[in-house]
Amino acid sequence: MPPSPNTGRTSSRSWIAVAIGVVVLVAGFTGAWLLRPDAAPVAAPAPTPTVVTPSATPTPVATPAPAPVGFAANTASYDLGALPQVDVFAVIPSLPVDPDPASAPTGEVVTAAGAGAPVFSDPTGDPVAVLPAEYVYGGTTVPVVERQEHWVRVLLTGRQATPSTGNPGQLTGWLRAQDVTFAAVDARVEVSLSARTIDIVGPGGSERIATDFGSGVEGTPTPTGRSFIMTTRVEPSFGYTRGYPLVYLSVQSPTLDGFGGADVAITAFHYHDARSGAISNGCIRLDPAAIQRLSELPMGTPVLITP
């Protein structure tokens, strides 16, 4: 696992179709004779009975539109400057750890529409942090894992706690849909630690980019569950990468409070000469072709690591 950077500081609209009732009008037939005032009355012809065939299916009844699913809208204004920033260095105890780490995201990512978006641990309360629109170490484009009419739940960088003090797992939070800009993300990365495979899965199918790699040892395992690509960069000072990019993830070590003198322990994909089996501090070590391919993916791309 490489040292993390050490300075500085991310609701598919649920519409329920309304059934439109169809009103079937059945007209009866009646007959009548019109007589002039000076004309002698004549006998009316016998009426011809009209046969009405009942419909085979009942007439649909209009259904009222249901109430929108999810939490109510919140249009309040908040002082974002008074809130802690969500970034790779942040430790925010009030933000929840991902409750459903094995599920796939929705295929959307969001970024703050303004300078920042308030982050809520619970949409019925007040915000507890702010997601900046820009940050030097990334993490501002975040995947949506649940979308409602007025809210989205997203994955975030940072931690709820360090491993020595609590649960360091992947953070989540709620953002108001009015505060973010949506974009589609058409790929995700799937890593199987047991099968030693890595695939990029998209609309056109699955592309296998690795059939072996280096991963964490027992004391410093590679974290499992869903996360996302936080940032991608080349660090010339990391000689073991041979100049290839490091693809940093949003999730950090489950056992290390910090690494290499920094107070963060970020998981990353990166190149290494030794890259087979349990060998690392939690990072995933790859060959040049695989790391180059991963470096082409956009920020916010979901990553799912399974045991």
Side-chain angles (χ1 to χ4, degrees):
M1 174 172 299
S4 172
N6 56 11
T7 59
R9 309 271 295 212
T10 275
S11 101
S12 55
R13 176 179 297 265
S14 263
W15 291 102
I16 299 177
V18 178
I20 301 178
V22 179
V23 179
V24 178
L25 302 177
V26 179
F29 171 81
T30 59
W33 285 93
L34 297 177
L35 302 178
R36 298 194 314 271
D38 58 344
V42 296
T48 302
T50 300
V51 178
V52 178
T53 303
S55 173
T57 57
T59 302
V61 178
T63 302
V69 175
F71 294 102
N74 174 351
T75 59
S77 297
Y78 299 99
D79 179 6
L80 301 185
L83 298 171
Q85 179 169 288
V86 172
D87 60 44
V88 64
F89 299 98
V91 177
I92 305 177
S94 53
L95 282 177
V97 171
D98 188 3
D100 193 12
S103 294
T106 64
E108 291 181 299
V109 294
V110 295
T111 56
V119 180
F120 300 74
S121 60
D122 179 350
T124 63
D126 291 326
V128 297
V130 58
L131 175 68
E134 296 182 358
Y135 184 55
V136 64
Y137 297 124
T140 58
T141 298
V142 296
V144 176
V145 295
E146 181 181 349
R147 183 170 183 180
Q148 300 179 358
E149 181 176 5
H150 303 295
W151 297 87
V152 290
R153 188 169 194 164
V154 298
L155 304 183
L156 297 165
T157 59
R159 292 180 287 187
Q160 181 190 78
T162 58
S164 64
T165 61
N167 189 341
Q170 172 65 59
L171 274 190
T172 67
W174 291 91
L175 307 174
R176 299 183 299 188
Q178 69 198 47
D179 296 324
V180 298
T181 300
F182 290 84
V185 60
D186 62 0
R188 66 181 184 273
V189 181
E190 295 185 352
V191 179
S192 172
L193 297 177
S194 58
R196 316 306 293 178
T197 57
I198 300 178
D199 299 290
I200 298 175
V201 181
S206 180
E207 174 191 357
R208 178 146 295 170
I209 64 169
T211 55
D212 192 19
F213 51 82
S215 58
V217 299
E218 183 177 355
T220 56
T222 298
T224 57
R226 59 187 177 183
S227 59
F228 63 95
I229 295 177
M230 177 180 72
T231 192
T232 296
R233 60 180 56 227
V234 174
E235 292 289 347
S237 63
F238 298 167
Y240 57 85
T241 65
R242 307 293 189 192
Y244 291 103
L246 294 99
V247 180
Y248 288 97
L249 302 183
S250 58
V251 68
Q252 301 190 35
S253 170
T255 59
L256 299 173
D257 286 359
F259 184 80
D263 57 0
V264 289
I266 307 167
T267 303
F269 296 109
H270 66 79
Y271 174 86
H272 201 287
D273 292 340
R275 53 176 184 270
S276 180
I279 197 172
S280 77
N281 289 299
C283 285
I284 295 177
R285 300 178 177 184
L286 296 167
D287 63 25
I291 194 63
Q292 187 63 44
R293 182 68 182 89
L294 289 171
S295 72
E296 297 168 0
L297 298 174
M299 302 304 98
T301 296
V303 176
L304 179 62
I305 303 176
T306 58

